[in-house]
């Protein structure tokens, strides 16, 4: 499923929930360790994404993912992580890059699909914004920026969209990090 198909899928599920007579009661779809729960906090088919961890359903924030990417990046794999993020950004679950597990690809896809629903491109940044912060986590791990600086940019709720950072020469710049 790519992002266009994902938006159609979510809007159909949202319409199903609206027509179900459930009101504010939750409707959910479980896909392995992921649960998509309706309604979310916003309109346009917004949902809440939960991940099953130790028999509990947990919501993860973009900051949690930035920290995860930072923790799991090293000098040997940083280019694979950048390429994988770029592939998921462009192709969704259909990404044929196998560096990330299917589970991580799925999680990143469903987490960032919400941004395309709530802040549709091209008028807004959509999924581009979280993918930019995920990339910046790699830059932080490589020592170009501090993790706390990137987390502050990630938690920039109700603020202006952060300007793109200066990318050091020789580091790949993914398509979602270009103007």
């Amino acid at each position: 499923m790519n992002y266009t198909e994902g938006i159609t899928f979510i809007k159909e599920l949202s319409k199903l929930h609206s027509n179900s007579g459930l009101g504010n009661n939750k409707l959910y779809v479980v896909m392995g360790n992921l649960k998509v729960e309706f309604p979310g906090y916003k309109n346009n088919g917004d949902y809440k994404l939960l991940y099953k961890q130790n028999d509990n359903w947990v919501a993860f924030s973009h900051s949690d993912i930035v920290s995860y990417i930072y923790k799991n990046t090293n000098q040997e794999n940083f280019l694979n992580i950048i390429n994988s993020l770029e592939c998921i950004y462009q192709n969704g679950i259909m990404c044929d890059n196998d560096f990330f597990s299917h589970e991580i690809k799925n999680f990143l896809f469903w987490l960032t699909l919400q941004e395309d629903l709530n802040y549709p491109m091209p008028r807004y940044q959509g999924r581009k914004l979280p993918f930019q912060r995920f990339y910046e986590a790699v830059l932080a791990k490589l020592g170009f920026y501090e993790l706390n600086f990137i987390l502050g940019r990630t938690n920039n709720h109700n603020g202006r969209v952060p300007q793109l950072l200066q990318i050091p020469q020789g580091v790949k710049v993914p398509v979602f990090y270009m103007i």
Side-chain angles (χ1 to χ4, degrees), residues 87-104:
C87 185
I88 296 165
Y89 173 83
Q90 292 178 307
N91 304 300
I93 298 170
M94 304 301 289
C95 171
D96 61 2
N97 180 311
D98 61 357
F99 180 76
F100 285 142
S101 69
H102 179 70
E103 184 175 59
I104 291 173

mmCIF file with all atom_site columns, all heavy atoms in Angstrom, residues 87-104:
data_model
loop_
_atom_site.group_PDB
_atom_site.id
_atom_site.type_symbol
_atom_site.label_atom_id
_atom_site.label_alt_id
_atom_site.label_comp_id
_atom_site.label_asym_id
_atom_site.label_entity_id
_atom_site.label_seq_id
_atom_site.pdbx_PDB_ins_code
_atom_site.Cartn_x
_atom_site.Cartn_y
_atom_site.Cartn_z
_atom_site.occupancy
_atom_site.B_iso_or_equiv
_atom_site.pdbx_formal_charge
_atom_site.auth_seq_id
_atom_site.auth_comp_id
_atom_site.auth_asym_id
_atom_site.auth_atom_id
_atom_site.pdbx_PDB_model_num
ATOM 1   N N   . CYS A 1 87  ? 12.854 5.428  0.918  1.00 0.00 ? 87  CYS A N   1
ATOM 2   C CA  . CYS A 1 87  ? 12.025 4.436  0.220  1.00 0.00 ? 87  CYS A CA  1
ATOM 3   C C   . CYS A 1 87  ? 10.616 4.383  0.808  1.00 0.00 ? 87  CYS A C   1
ATOM 4   O O   . CYS A 1 87  ? 9.628  4.352  0.067  1.00 0.00 ? 87  CYS A O   1
ATOM 5   C CB  . CYS A 1 87  ? 12.703 3.068  0.302  1.00 0.00 ? 87  CYS A CB  1
ATOM 6   S SG  . CYS A 1 87  ? 11.867 1.782  -0.653 1.00 0.00 ? 87  CYS A SG  1
ATOM 7   N N   . ILE A 1 88  ? 10.503 4.390  2.124  1.00 0.00 ? 88  ILE A N   1
ATOM 8   C CA  . ILE A 1 88  ? 9.184  4.368  2.762  1.00 0.00 ? 88  ILE A CA  1
ATOM 9   C C   . ILE A 1 88  ? 8.438  5.655  2.447  1.00 0.00 ? 88  ILE A C   1
ATOM 10  O O   . ILE A 1 88  ? 7.250  5.628  2.125  1.00 0.00 ? 88  ILE A O   1
ATOM 11  C CB  . ILE A 1 88  ? 9.302  4.146  4.286  1.00 0.00 ? 88  ILE A CB  1
ATOM 12  C CG1 . ILE A 1 88  ? 9.896  2.769  4.583  1.00 0.00 ? 88  ILE A CG1 1
ATOM 13  C CG2 . ILE A 1 88  ? 7.936  4.302  4.969  1.00 0.00 ? 88  ILE A CG2 1
ATOM 14  C CD1 . ILE A 1 88  ? 10.372 2.589  6.011  1.00 0.00 ? 88  ILE A CD1 1
ATOM 15  N N   . TYR A 1 89  ? 9.107  6.785  2.512  1.00 0.00 ? 89  TYR A N   1
ATOM 16  C CA  . TYR A 1 89  ? 8.483  8.072  2.185  1.00 0.00 ? 89  TYR A CA  1
ATOM 17  C C   . TYR A 1 89  ? 7.889  8.051  0.781  1.00 0.00 ? 89  TYR A C   1
ATOM 18  O O   . TYR A 1 89  ? 6.783  8.538  0.559  1.00 0.00 ? 89  TYR A O   1
ATOM 19  C CB  . TYR A 1 89  ? 9.526  9.189  2.295  1.00 0.00 ? 89  TYR A CB  1
ATOM 20  C CG  . TYR A 1 89  ? 9.024  10.522 1.829  1.00 0.00 ? 89  TYR A CG  1
ATOM 21  C CD1 . TYR A 1 89  ? 8.289  11.340 2.679  1.00 0.00 ? 89  TYR A CD1 1
ATOM 22  C CD2 . TYR A 1 89  ? 9.268  10.973 0.530  1.00 0.00 ? 89  TYR A CD2 1
ATOM 23  C CE1 . TYR A 1 89  ? 7.807  12.567 2.249  1.00 0.00 ? 89  TYR A CE1 1
ATOM 24  C CE2 . TYR A 1 89  ? 8.787  12.201 0.098  1.00 0.00 ? 89  TYR A CE2 1
ATOM 25  C CZ  . TYR A 1 89  ? 8.057  12.986 0.957  1.00 0.00 ? 89  TYR A CZ  1
ATOM 26  O OH  . TYR A 1 89  ? 7.573  14.199 0.526  1.00 0.00 ? 89  TYR A OH  1
ATOM 27  N N   . GLN A 1 90  ? 8.603  7.472  -0.166 1.00 0.00 ? 90  GLN A N   1
ATOM 28  C CA  . GLN A 1 90  ? 8.153  7.468  -1.557 1.00 0.00 ? 90  GLN A CA  1
ATOM 29  C C   . GLN A 1 90  ? 7.153  6.362  -1.878 1.00 0.00 ? 90  GLN A C   1
ATOM 30  O O   . GLN A 1 90  ? 6.277  6.555  -2.702 1.00 0.00 ? 90  GLN A O   1
ATOM 31  C CB  . GLN A 1 90  ? 9.351  7.330  -2.500 1.00 0.00 ? 90  GLN A CB  1
ATOM 32  C CG  . GLN A 1 90  ? 10.250 8.542  -2.493 1.00 0.00 ? 90  GLN A CG  1
ATOM 33  C CD  . GLN A 1 90  ? 11.455 8.369  -3.394 1.00 0.00 ? 90  GLN A CD  1
ATOM 34  O OE1 . GLN A 1 90  ? 12.196 7.394  -3.278 1.00 0.00 ? 90  GLN A OE1 1
ATOM 35  N NE2 . GLN A 1 90  ? 11.639 9.328  -4.290 1.00 0.00 ? 90  GLN A NE2 1
ATOM 36  N N   . ASN A 1 91  ? 7.281  5.204  -1.222 1.00 0.00 ? 91  ASN A N   1
ATOM 37  C CA  . ASN A 1 91  ? 6.512  4.026  -1.629 1.00 0.00 ? 91  ASN A CA  1
ATOM 38  C C   . ASN A 1 91  ? 5.614  3.425  -0.564 1.00 0.00 ? 91  ASN A C   1
ATOM 39  O O   . ASN A 1 91  ? 4.926  2.444  -0.829 1.00 0.00 ? 91  ASN A O   1
ATOM 40  C CB  . ASN A 1 91  ? 7.483  2.936  -2.111 1.00 0.00 ? 91  ASN A CB  1
ATOM 41  C CG  . ASN A 1 91  ? 8.379  3.429  -3.211 1.00 0.00 ? 91  ASN A CG  1
ATOM 42  O OD1 . ASN A 1 91  ? 7.919  3.842  -4.260 1.00 0.00 ? 91  ASN A OD1 1
ATOM 43  N ND2 . ASN A 1 91  ? 9.682  3.428  -2.957 1.00 0.00 ? 91  ASN A ND2 1
ATOM 44  N N   . GLY A 1 92  ? 5.647  3.948  0.643  1.00 0.00 ? 92  GLY A N   1
ATOM 45  C CA  . GLY A 1 92  ? 4.844  3.378  1.716  1.00 0.00 ? 92  GLY A CA  1
ATOM 46  C C   . GLY A 1 92  ? 5.281  1.962  2.035  1.00 0.00 ? 92  GLY A C   1
ATOM 47  O O   . GLY A 1 92  ? 6.470  1.633  1.995  1.00 0.00 ? 92  GLY A O   1
ATOM 48  N N   . ILE A 1 93  ? 4.322  1.110  2.297  1.00 0.00 ? 93  ILE A N   1
ATOM 49  C CA  . ILE A 1 93  ? 4.603  -0.285 2.633  1.00 0.00 ? 93  ILE A CA  1
ATOM 50  C C   . ILE A 1 93  ? 5.183  -1.028 1.429  1.00 0.00 ? 93  ILE A C   1
ATOM 51  O O   . ILE A 1 93  ? 5.852  -2.031 1.577  1.00 0.00 ? 93  ILE A O   1
ATOM 52  C CB  . ILE A 1 93  ? 3.323  -0.990 3.142  1.00 0.00 ? 93  ILE A CB  1
ATOM 53  C CG1 . ILE A 1 93  ? 2.837  -0.315 4.419  1.00 0.00 ? 93  ILE A CG1 1
ATOM 54  C CG2 . ILE A 1 93  ? 3.579  -2.466 3.419  1.00 0.00 ? 93  ILE A CG2 1
ATOM 55  C CD1 . ILE A 1 93  ? 1.469  -0.766 4.871  1.00 0.00 ? 93  ILE A CD1 1
ATOM 56  N N   . MET A 1 94  ? 4.957  -0.492 0.243  1.00 0.00 ? 94  MET A N   1
ATOM 57  C CA  . MET A 1 94  ? 5.458  -1.110 -0.976 1.00 0.00 ? 94  MET A CA  1
ATOM 58  C C   . MET A 1 94  ? 6.972  -0.929 -1.137 1.00 0.00 ? 94  MET A C   1
ATOM 59  O O   . MET A 1 94  ? 7.557  -1.403 -2.105 1.00 0.00 ? 94  MET A O   1
ATOM 60  C CB  . MET A 1 94  ? 4.751  -0.519 -2.202 1.00 0.00 ? 94  MET A CB  1
ATOM 61  C CG  . MET A 1 94  ? 3.238  -0.630 -2.151 1.00 0.00 ? 94  MET A CG  1
ATOM 62  S SD  . MET A 1 94  ? 2.655  -2.324 -2.017 1.00 0.00 ? 94  MET A SD  1
ATOM 63  C CE  . MET A 1 94  ? 3.046  -2.902 -3.640 1.00 0.00 ? 94  MET A CE  1
ATOM 64  N N   . CYS A 1 95  ? 7.601  -0.272 -0.199 1.00 0.00 ? 95  CYS A N   1
ATOM 65  C CA  . CYS A 1 95  ? 9.050  -0.060 -0.232 1.00 0.00 ? 95  CYS A CA  1
ATOM 66  C C   . CYS A 1 95  ? 9.754  -1.415 -0.335 1.00 0.00 ? 95  CYS A C   1
ATOM 67  O O   . CYS A 1 95  ? 9.501  -2.312 0.467  1.00 0.00 ? 95  CYS A O   1
ATOM 68  C CB  . CYS A 1 95  ? 9.479  0.670  1.037  1.00 0.00 ? 95  CYS A CB  1
ATOM 69  S SG  . CYS A 1 95  ? 11.256 0.765  1.257  1.00 0.00 ? 95  CYS A SG  1
ATOM 70  N N   . ASP A 1 96  ? 10.611 -1.545 -1.337 1.00 0.00 ? 96  ASP A N   1
ATOM 71  C CA  . ASP A 1 96  ? 11.302 -2.824 -1.536 1.00 0.00 ? 96  ASP A CA  1
ATOM 72  C C   . ASP A 1 96  ? 12.672 -2.884 -0.860 1.00 0.00 ? 96  ASP A C   1
ATOM 73  O O   . ASP A 1 96  ? 13.396 -3.843 -1.003 1.00 0.00 ? 96  ASP A O   1
ATOM 74  C CB  . ASP A 1 96  ? 11.420 -3.153 -3.023 1.00 0.00 ? 96  ASP A CB  1
ATOM 75  C CG  . ASP A 1 96  ? 12.213 -2.108 -3.796 1.00 0.00 ? 96  ASP A CG  1
ATOM 76  O OD1 . ASP A 1 96  ? 12.705 -1.138 -3.185 1.00 0.00 ? 96  ASP A OD1 1
ATOM 77  O OD2 . ASP A 1 96  ? 12.345 -2.267 -5.024 1.00 0.00 ? 96  ASP A OD2 1
ATOM 78  N N   . ASN A 1 97  ? 13.012 -1.858 -0.117 1.00 0.00 ? 97  ASN A N   1
ATOM 79  C CA  . ASN A 1 97  ? 14.248 -1.838 0.647  1.00 0.00 ? 97  ASN A CA  1
ATOM 80  C C   . ASN A 1 97  ? 14.024 -2.696 1.884  1.00 0.00 ? 97  ASN A C   1
ATOM 81  O O   . ASN A 1 97  ? 13.070 -2.492 2.626  1.00 0.00 ? 97  ASN A O   1
ATOM 82  C CB  . ASN A 1 97  ? 14.576 -0.389 1.035  1.00 0.00 ? 97  ASN A CB  1
ATOM 83  C CG  . ASN A 1 97  ? 15.840 -0.264 1.836  1.00 0.00 ? 97  ASN A CG  1
ATOM 84  O OD1 . ASN A 1 97  ? 16.042 -0.982 2.798  1.00 0.00 ? 97  ASN A OD1 1
ATOM 85  N ND2 . ASN A 1 97  ? 16.681 0.678  1.447  1.00 0.00 ? 97  ASN A ND2 1
ATOM 86  N N   . ASP A 1 98  ? 14.879 -3.674 2.113  1.00 0.00 ? 98  ASP A N   1
ATOM 87  C CA  . ASP A 1 98  ? 14.636 -4.607 3.217  1.00 0.00 ? 98  ASP A CA  1
ATOM 88  C C   . ASP A 1 98  ? 15.534 -4.378 4.431  1.00 0.00 ? 98  ASP A C   1
ATOM 89  O O   . ASP A 1 98  ? 15.696 -5.258 5.256  1.00 0.00 ? 98  ASP A O   1
ATOM 90  C CB  . ASP A 1 98  ? 14.743 -6.049 2.733  1.00 0.00 ? 98  ASP A CB  1
ATOM 91  C CG  . ASP A 1 98  ? 16.125 -6.391 2.190  1.00 0.00 ? 98  ASP A CG  1
ATOM 92  O OD1 . ASP A 1 98  ? 16.999 -5.501 2.132  1.00 0.00 ? 98  ASP A OD1 1
ATOM 93  O OD2 . ASP A 1 98  ? 16.334 -7.565 1.822  1.00 0.00 ? 98  ASP A OD2 1
ATOM 94  N N   . PHE A 1 99  ? 16.080 -3.156 4.573  1.00 0.00 ? 99  PHE A N   1
ATOM 95  C CA  . PHE A 1 99  ? 16.900 -2.895 5.759  1.00 0.00 ? 99  PHE A CA  1
ATOM 96  C C   . PHE A 1 99  ? 16.047 -2.894 7.021  1.00 0.00 ? 99  PHE A C   1
ATOM 97  O O   . PHE A 1 99  ? 16.381 -3.532 8.007  1.00 0.00 ? 99  PHE A O   1
ATOM 98  C CB  . PHE A 1 99  ? 17.654 -1.565 5.632  1.00 0.00 ? 99  PHE A CB  1
ATOM 99  C CG  . PHE A 1 99  ? 18.488 -1.275 6.828  1.00 0.00 ? 99  PHE A CG  1
ATOM 100 C CD1 . PHE A 1 99  ? 19.692 -1.942 7.033  1.00 0.00 ? 99  PHE A CD1 1
ATOM 101 C CD2 . PHE A 1 99  ? 18.074 -0.363 7.787  1.00 0.00 ? 99  PHE A CD2 1
ATOM 102 C CE1 . PHE A 1 99  ? 20.467 -1.704 8.159  1.00 0.00 ? 99  PHE A CE1 1
ATOM 103 C CE2 . PHE A 1 99  ? 18.841 -0.110 8.916  1.00 0.00 ? 99  PHE A CE2 1
ATOM 104 C CZ  . PHE A 1 99  ? 20.033 -0.787 9.096  1.00 0.00 ? 99  PHE A CZ  1
ATOM 105 N N   . PHE A 1 100 ? 14.924 -2.158 6.988  1.00 0.00 ? 100 PHE A N   1
ATOM 106 C CA  . PHE A 1 100 ? 13.988 -2.185 8.108  1.00 0.00 ? 100 PHE A CA  1
ATOM 107 C C   . PHE A 1 100 ? 13.110 -3.417 7.987  1.00 0.00 ? 100 PHE A C   1
ATOM 108 O O   . PHE A 1 100 ? 12.741 -3.818 6.889  1.00 0.00 ? 100 PHE A O   1
ATOM 109 C CB  . PHE A 1 100 ? 13.079 -0.951 8.110  1.00 0.00 ? 100 PHE A CB  1
ATOM 110 C CG  . PHE A 1 100 ? 13.714 0.328  8.565  1.00 0.00 ? 100 PHE A CG  1
ATOM 111 C CD1 . PHE A 1 100 ? 13.393 1.518  7.948  1.00 0.00 ? 100 PHE A CD1 1
ATOM 112 C CD2 . PHE A 1 100 ? 14.611 0.369  9.624  1.00 0.00 ? 100 PHE A CD2 1
ATOM 113 C CE1 . PHE A 1 100 ? 13.947 2.715  8.368  1.00 0.00 ? 100 PHE A CE1 1
ATOM 114 C CE2 . PHE A 1 100 ? 15.178 1.557  10.049 1.00 0.00 ? 100 PHE A CE2 1
ATOM 115 C CZ  . PHE A 1 100 ? 14.854 2.730  9.414  1.00 0.00 ? 100 PHE A CZ  1
ATOM 116 N N   . SER A 1 101 ? 12.726 -3.973 9.108  1.00 0.00 ? 101 SER A N   1
ATOM 117 C CA  . SER A 1 101 ? 11.808 -5.109 9.093  1.00 0.00 ? 101 SER A CA  1
ATOM 118 C C   . SER A 1 101 ? 10.452 -4.666 8.553  1.00 0.00 ? 101 SER A C   1
ATOM 119 O O   . SER A 1 101 ? 10.139 -3.465 8.546  1.00 0.00 ? 101 SER A O   1
ATOM 120 C CB  . SER A 1 101 ? 11.638 -5.676 10.503 1.00 0.00 ? 101 SER A CB  1
ATOM 121 O OG  . SER A 1 101 ? 10.923 -4.759 11.315 1.00 0.00 ? 101 SER A OG  1
ATOM 122 N N   . HIS A 1 102 ? 9.649  -5.617 8.149  1.00 0.00 ? 102 HIS A N   1
ATOM 123 C CA  . HIS A 1 102 ? 8.290  -5.321 7.682  1.00 0.00 ? 102 HIS A CA  1
ATOM 124 C C   . HIS A 1 102 ? 7.502  -4.598 8.775  1.00 0.00 ? 102 HIS A C   1
ATOM 125 O O   . HIS A 1 102 ? 6.751  -3.667 8.502  1.00 0.00 ? 102 HIS A O   1
ATOM 126 C CB  . HIS A 1 102 ? 7.585  -6.618 7.265  1.00 0.00 ? 102 HIS A CB  1
ATOM 127 C CG  . HIS A 1 102 ? 6.191  -6.416 6.802  1.00 0.00 ? 102 HIS A CG  1
ATOM 128 N ND1 . HIS A 1 102 ? 5.887  -5.794 5.606  1.00 0.00 ? 102 HIS A ND1 1
ATOM 129 C CD2 . HIS A 1 102 ? 4.999  -6.722 7.379  1.00 0.00 ? 102 HIS A CD2 1
ATOM 130 C CE1 . HIS A 1 102 ? 4.575  -5.741 5.463  1.00 0.00 ? 102 HIS A CE1 1
ATOM 131 N NE2 . HIS A 1 102 ? 4.018  -6.297 6.519  1.00 0.00 ? 102 HIS A NE2 1
ATOM 132 N N   . GLU A 1 103 ? 7.712  -5.007 10.015 1.00 0.00 ? 103 GLU A N   1
ATOM 133 C CA  . GLU A 1 103 ? 7.011  -4.399 11.147 1.00 0.00 ? 103 GLU A CA  1
ATOM 134 C C   . GLU A 1 103 ? 7.365  -2.915 11.299 1.00 0.00 ? 103 GLU A C   1
ATOM 135 O O   . GLU A 1 103 ? 6.483  -2.074 11.509 1.00 0.00 ? 103 GLU A O   1
ATOM 136 C CB  . GLU A 1 103 ? 7.350  -5.169 12.423 1.00 0.00 ? 103 GLU A CB  1
ATOM 137 C CG  . GLU A 1 103 ? 6.613  -4.698 13.642 1.00 0.00 ? 103 GLU A CG  1
ATOM 138 C CD  . GLU A 1 103 ? 6.912  -5.575 14.843 1.00 0.00 ? 103 GLU A CD  1
ATOM 139 O OE1 . GLU A 1 103 ? 8.092  -5.695 15.233 1.00 0.00 ? 103 GLU A OE1 1
ATOM 140 O OE2 . GLU A 1 103 ? 5.950  -6.132 15.395 1.00 0.00 ? 103 GLU A OE2 1
ATOM 141 N N   . ILE A 1 104 ? 8.637  -2.582 11.179 1.00 0.00 ? 104 ILE A N   1
ATOM 142 C CA  . ILE A 1 104 ? 9.052  -1.180 11.306 1.00 0.00 ? 104 ILE A CA  1
ATOM 143 C C   . ILE A 1 104 ? 8.542  -0.365 10.122 1.00 0.00 ? 104 ILE A C   1
ATOM 144 O O   . ILE A 1 104 ? 8.064  0.762  10.290 1.00 0.00 ? 104 ILE A O   1
ATOM 145 C CB  . ILE A 1 104 ? 10.583 -1.069 11.461 1.00 0.00 ? 104 ILE A CB  1
ATOM 146 C CG1 . ILE A 1 104 ? 10.989 -1.642 12.818 1.00 0.00 ? 104 ILE A CG1 1
ATOM 147 C CG2 . ILE A 1 104 ? 11.050 0.377  11.314 1.00 0.00 ? 104 ILE A CG2 1
ATOM 148 C CD1 . ILE A 1 104 ? 12.475 -1.743 13.038 1.00 0.00 ? 104 ILE A CD1 1
#
